[in-house]
């Protein structure tokens, strides 16, 4: 016959180990944390969670604790993959640039002619501000102004990306489609600087961006300034296009 439990017997009040384990595993968060995943998969989950947190809350506002929670791991696990929060940020931003560069280079391989290639570059860069607004805000507002965050690896990737435009411009000059005396470096700065200036309110205040009109007119403004052999009869049309481009840029800066 089984002995009766006495008031002092703690084992009688303690749940069976199996019952405790089942009750913990029933909670989705606990179940996710206790499921063993391949190292590569866990790293991808952490990076995906970090990208979401950083683009939603910024670098300063995002915490490793929230990243760990979204990735389904404990906070300490994040530090076994990434030594610091900054190291995690640099991997996220580096992956963004690598994917963007690969996409742009792939698109350019299917396009011929300096004008069409330049228009593609402008349109694709403008799309980034719409499709990856949080990443653009993170880079422009937090990473670039901070020398500690804008380190050598990120600067090198940013140069690789903008150098794609330099390659397009130089090829256009070699092919005789663009004026050879115009510096590709100056044109690169004009292209990317104009877009950043025009979309600053979109990035920081969420103002809607008219990227189709802006892209077409910015391309016209650049091309008609550097293209060879523009017929004299089109002079008035060129001036009108330039005026519309300037007006578009100015409207993009108007409040409200």
């Amino acid at each position: 016959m089984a002995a009766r439990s006495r008031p002092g017997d703690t084992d009688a009040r303690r749940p069976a180990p199996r019952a405790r384990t089942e009750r913990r595993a029933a909670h989705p968060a606990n179940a996710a944390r206790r499921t063993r995943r391949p190292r590569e998969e866990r790293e991808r989950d952490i990076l995906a969670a970090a990208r979401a947190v950083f683009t939603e809350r910024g670098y300063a506002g995002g915490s490793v604790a929230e990243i760990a929670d979204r990735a389904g791991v404990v906070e300490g696990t994040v530090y076994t993959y990434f030594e610091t929060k900054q190291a995690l940020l640099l991997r996220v931003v580096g992956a963004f640039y690598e994917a963007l560069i690969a996409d742009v280079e792939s698109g350019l391989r299917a396009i011929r002619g300096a004008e069409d290639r330049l228009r593609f570059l402008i349109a694709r860069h403008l799309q980034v501000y719409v499709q990856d607004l949080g990443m653009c805000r993170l880079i422009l507002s937090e990473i670039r102004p901070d020398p500690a965050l804008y380190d050598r690896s990120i600067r090198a990737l940013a140069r690789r990306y903008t150098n794609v435009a330099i390659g397009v411009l130089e090829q256009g000059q070699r092919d005789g489609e663009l004026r050879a005396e115009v510096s590709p470096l100056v044109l690169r700065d004009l292209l990317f600087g104009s877009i950043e200036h025009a979309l600053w309110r979109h990035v920081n205040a969420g103002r809607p961006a008219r990227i189709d009109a802006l892209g077409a007119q910015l391309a016209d403004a650049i091309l008609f300034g550097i293209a060879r052999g523009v017929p004299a009869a089109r002079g008035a049309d060129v001036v009108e296009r330039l005026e519309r481009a300037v007006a578009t840029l100015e409207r993009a800066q108007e409040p409200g």
Side-chain angles (χ1 to χ4, degrees):
M1 184 172 67
R4 290 182 299 174
S5 61
R6 297 189 298 273
D9 291 337
T10 56
D11 287 345
R13 299 192 303 272
R14 185 180 303 148
R18 181 176 179 183
R20 288 201 309 273
T21 302
E22 290 174 349
R23 190 155 56 243
R24 286 177 181 169
H27 193 286
N30 288 331
R33 286 189 172 92
R34 286 164 174 73
T35 301
R36 293 189 62 83
R37 287 169 281 172
R39 181 177 179 85
E40 295 78 9
E41 180 182 338
R42 185 172 290 178
E43 182 174 317
R44 286 196 302 269
D45 291 344
I46 292 171
L47 285 169
R51 179 184 171 110
V53 170
F54 289 146
T55 55
E56 290 170 17
R57 306 190 187 283
Y59 177 69
S63 69
V64 175
E66 182 176 2
I67 292 169
D69 186 62
R70 293 197 188 195
V73 299
V74 296
E75 186 173 349
T77 299
V78 176
Y79 290 109
T80 66
Y81 289 82
F82 304 96
E83 186 175 351
T84 63
K85 178 183 174 183
Q86 180 175 333
L88 182 53
L89 172 74
L90 296 181
R91 277 289 300 277
V92 167
V93 177
F96 162 76
Y97 270 116
E98 292 284 3
L100 178 59
I101 292 168
D103 180 71
V104 169
E105 290 178 339
S106 175
L108 285 172
R109 284 194 288 271
I111 302 173
R112 295 291 179 267
E115 178 174 344
D116 287 342
R117 286 161 65 85
L118 187 60
R119 289 186 185 279
F120 166 78
L121 276 177
I122 292 172
R124 184 66 186 89
H125 188 60
L126 285 166
Q127 286 175 357
V128 175
Y129 280 85
V130 175
Q131 297 172 353
D132 279 303
L133 176 58
M135 181 63 72
C136 292
R137 184 183 298 115
L138 177 68
I139 293 172
L140 296 178
S141 300
E142 291 192 78
I143 295 177
R144 194 188 292 173
D146 188 338
L149 298 180
Y150 198 52
D151 79 338
R152 182 180 302 176
S153 64
I154 300 302
R155 289 198 304 272
L157 285 168
R159 278 196 299 271
R160 268 184 59 198
Y161 174 57
T162 59
N163 282 348
V164 173
I166 292 179
V168 168
L169 293 164
E170 289 177 340
Q171 184 63 51
Q173 290 175 328
R174 287 193 295 269
D175 293 342
E177 296 179 68
L178 306 177
R179 287 166 46 195
E181 69 272 18
V182 181
S183 167
L185 294 175
V186 172
L187 293 172
R188 175 201 62 186
D189 293 345
L190 173 63
L191 190 161
F192 291 104
S194 296
I195 291 175
E196 183 177 323
H197 176 76
L199 296 182
W200 185 251
R201 290 183 185 274
H202 168 67
V203 171
N204 287 279
R207 179 176 178 174
R210 298 181 290 271
I211 63 171
D212 291 338
L214 176 61
Q217 295 189 34
L218 178 58
D220 284 350
I222 293 175
L223 284 164
F224 291 135
I226 62 176
R228 294 184 62 184
V230 177
R234 294 180 60 191
D237 181 55
V238 170
V239 172
E240 182 181 348
R241 287 171 179 263
L242 288 171
E243 289 175 345
R244 288 204 305 269
V246 171
T248 298
L249 292 172
E250 289 176 346
R251 283 198 302 275
Q253 293 301 302
E254 292 173 358

